[in-house]
């Protein structure tokens, strides 16, 4: 009976090395998404604290928007989440894929 239940951690390590729990995640009504807050949500999903569906529903995100955050972190770390550098990193990876 309990084998089918998923075990979730109560705490995961955040992008800056600090512990993250559901209580310390950005609030659901967050309007200004700075790099740190985006990275915390990505770390929570990657660590199993939230599912992708829960994060999208809780923060009113589209799947594509969240996926772009994940790609940004995977490719370039926290800098990949900076909206001012988005075009730079997009061009960089498009050039790399051509070769």
């Amino acid at each position: 009976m309990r084998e089918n239940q998923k075990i979730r951690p109560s705490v995961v390590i955040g992008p800056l090395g600090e512990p993250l729990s559901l209580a310390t995640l950005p609030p659901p009504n967050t309007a200004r998404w700075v790099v740190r807050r985006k990275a915390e949500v990505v770390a929570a999903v990657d660590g199993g604290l939230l599912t992708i569906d829960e994060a999208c529903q809780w923060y009113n995100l589209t799947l594509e928007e969240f996926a772009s955050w994940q790609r940004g972190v995977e490719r370039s770390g926290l800098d990949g989440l900076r909206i001012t550098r988005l075009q730079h990193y997009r061009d960089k990876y498009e050039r790399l894929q051509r070769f």
Side-chain angles (χ1 to χ4, degrees):
M1 193 177 340
R2 291 190 182 255
E3 299 91 29
N4 293 334
Q5 293 179 347
K6 293 187 178 183
I7 299 173
R8 290 188 187 202
S10 59
V11 176
V12 297
I13 302 301
L16 303 176
E18 78 286 359
L20 284 178
S21 67
L22 289 176
T24 59
L25 285 174
N29 60 349
T30 299
R32 188 165 181 264
W33 284 101
V34 296
V35 170
R36 180 186 51 82
R37 290 185 188 135
K38 291 177 185 179
E40 286 175 346
V41 174
V42 171
V45 171
D46 289 346
L49 196 59
L50 292 173
T51 65
I52 292 176
D53 292 334
E54 289 170 337
C56 289
Q57 185 177 23
W58 199 6
Y59 293 111
N60 197 25
L61 303 170
T62 63
L63 186 57
E64 292 80 15
E65 185 175 17
F66 181 78
S68 74
W69 293 0
Q70 277 188 318
R71 269 192 314 274
V73 170
E74 288 170 3
R75 290 178 174 176
S76 305
L78 294 180
D79 286 341
L81 295 174
R82 295 188 190 286
I83 203 71
T84 56
R85 303 294 291 164
L86 187 62
Q87 187 63 44
H88 167 77
Y89 290 116
R90 186 178 298 147
D91 291 345
K92 175 182 172 183
Y93 286 101
E94 284 176 2
R95 282 192 308 267
L96 289 174
Q97 289 177 350
R98 285 186 220 149
F99 300 106

